Amino acid sequence: MKLGLGFRGIAAAISMAAATQAGCPDYTTYAQIPQGNPSAGPLGLPYMRLDPACRTFNSTSVEKVISDMKSRLKDPDLARLFENTFPNTLDTTVKYFSKEENLAFIITGDITAQWLRDTGNQFAHYHSLLSMDQELATLVKAVINNEARYVAEYPYCGAFQPPPESNLPPSHNDWADDVVVNPPINNQTVFECKYEIDSLCGFIKLSASYYQATKDASMMNDNWLSAIDQIFRVMNEQSQPSFDANFDFVSYYNWTGLPGSLSGPVVNGGNGEPKGYTGMVGTSHRPSDDLSVYAFLTPANAMLSVELANLAIILDDAKFVPNVSAQAKQWSQSIKQAIYDHAGFDGVFAYETNGLGSRYMMDDANVPSLLSLPYLGFLDRNDTAYVKTKKMLMSRQNPYYAKGQNFSGIGGPHIDAWNPWPMSQISNIFGSNDDDEILESLYMVANNTAGLGLIHESINIYNETDYTRPWFAWANSYFGEMMLDLAQRKPHLIFHDNEPYVPWAVGSWYQCSGIVLNSATMRFLYNTIPSRGY
């Protein structure tokens, strides 16, 4: 996502009554200036929440979690950071919500569009609240239904305009100007049509989270089934090699900028680098919205394998469309096997491969990433191949690892090589059992918010006050999710005592099929194909 390059914000009043109050500030501007009273810790972090009347959605269950955590966190700066970040999605990004229409439009923050990937992550940390908070559950169900309509019509696209029922005008995306996409799209519905397989994973992730928390099978309506059908269509198309047996070029999707466009041209008529057959699913773009170098993105396929398994779990539990569940299980297992067969080199995972012998050894901060494989639920954080991969990623061997005097981590080409992302340090926490390593990453994030108490997109290692994206709801949500993970598995690190905390004492996932997991750690246990090193 690009910032400050001519996006026109939504001009009309939004339908959420709370946000139509006169005098409510623009949060992009608000987030760049310290607000409220500082925290009592050495960082003195400001209170960055809007007045309740200006928030786009208010939830009593979210407020209770904030109160519970603040009462137990021993560091007042971490307490303030959690207080600012955990509710940020609900406070600021619900631009439209209608119970009657069963539709909701969620923006990513300072860009007025709904990204499938971002939305799935922006709501992940509210999973354990959905069974107790009917209003919040209704909102999530409406988000899923809106996304189902998007995916059913444009399964290759990842970012969308407001639904027509909202009466919100579409936004203009300068980066989509003079970009040719096939299949063709309507920019009144689509904000940006970059094909990223993790966007489709995000839709399944949110669907699985909602069903597991509520057991509400009415989510699986005609829109949703059409979307799932289109996801399998994309998987079938994008798993095929670039050339068939007769060397006819196979193309189901291509994307390229015309001369003079901001996005620029893509090689091979917008198809990117050729790929062979591996059993994985190819993708045109990465979770950062940047072009892939090679089509088979390892962490995106790992996420796809996990979420397809989760899809099968909820369908089996609902006793619904068993043929789709069977397909999901088969694909999940074959993709996982393909990752181990094709994405490894010298005992570590490659970020991308083309199925023709080439591999790209790197990582990008955006989730799904190699660093986030334990968070995704693909493998255990103690897995031999992961431990070796992680050591490589958090070093000079990763071309997008950078280290400054006060901040270090993994970035990516989306910004530049010297702007690592706090998101990478959060992923590192999910991937670690080492107390010292966890605390080092935790305070590297907490100490580098430019004094604003929010999680930014990236930070310049030469000047920690130079950051991108003052309002980035996904990163804020990811931090809140990580804090809840530590509250359960490492309470002694952040609390005055060693008593675990799970909101509402409802934190278990996948209790059907004999599997019990927490949403902040792993989402599925693989019992059919063992993880193995190379």
Side-chain angles (χ1 to χ4, degrees), residues 195 235-254 266-284 292-296 353-356:
Y195 162 55
M235 288 163 50
N236 276 294
E237 292 175 352
Q238 294 303 317
S239 61
Q240 297 181 33
S242 296
F243 290 102
D244 68 12
N246 298 316
F247 271 92
D248 291 322
F249 195 82
V250 178
S251 176
Y252 294 97
Y253 164 92
N254 55 75
V266 176
V267 298
N268 298 316
N271 289 284
E273 287 292 316
K275 65 181 186 292
Y277 177 80
T278 63
M280 289 186 279
V281 178
T283 188
S284 171
S292 299
V293 174
Y294 299 130
F296 298 119
T353 182
N354 62 1
L356 300 169

Side-chain angles (χ1 to χ4, degrees), residues 165-299:
E165 293 86 350
S166 69
N167 293 318
L168 298 173
S171 298
H172 179 76
N173 180 1
D174 289 352
W175 285 84
D177 287 347
D178 297 318
V179 172
V180 177
V181 180
N182 286 301
I185 55 99
N186 179 353
N187 64 12
Q188 299 298 294
T189 301
V190 176
F191 181 81
E192 185 170 77
C193 195
K194 294 177 177 179
Y195 162 55
E196 301 149 349
I197 190 63
D198 68 283
S199 292
L200 300 179
C201 296
F203 170 70
I204 301 174
K205 173 182 175 177
L206 189 59
S207 298
S209 172
Y210 174 81
Y211 178 81
Q212 282 296 328
T214 66
K215 301 296 183 182
D216 177 16
S218 68
M219 168 202 76
M220 302 173 186
N221 59 20
D222 289 344
N223 290 336
W224 189 84
L225 283 174
S226 295
I228 296 298
D229 183 63
Q230 290 301 305
I231 290 173
F232 279 102
R233 182 197 123 203
V234 169
M235 288 163 50
N236 276 294
E237 292 175 352
Q238 294 303 317
S239 61
Q240 297 181 33
S242 296
F243 290 102
D244 68 12
N246 298 316
F247 271 92
D248 291 322
F249 195 82
V250 178
S251 176
Y252 294 97
Y253 164 92
N254 55 75
W255 180 98
T256 191
L258 298 175
S261 69
L262 290 173
S263 297
V266 176
V267 298
N268 298 316
N271 289 284
E273 287 292 316
K275 65 181 186 292
Y277 177 80
T278 63
M280 289 186 279
V281 178
T283 188
S284 171
H285 289 76
R286 298 170 175 172
S288 60
D289 297 332
D290 299 313
L291 282 163
S292 299
V293 174
Y294 299 130
F296 298 119
L297 180 60
T298 303

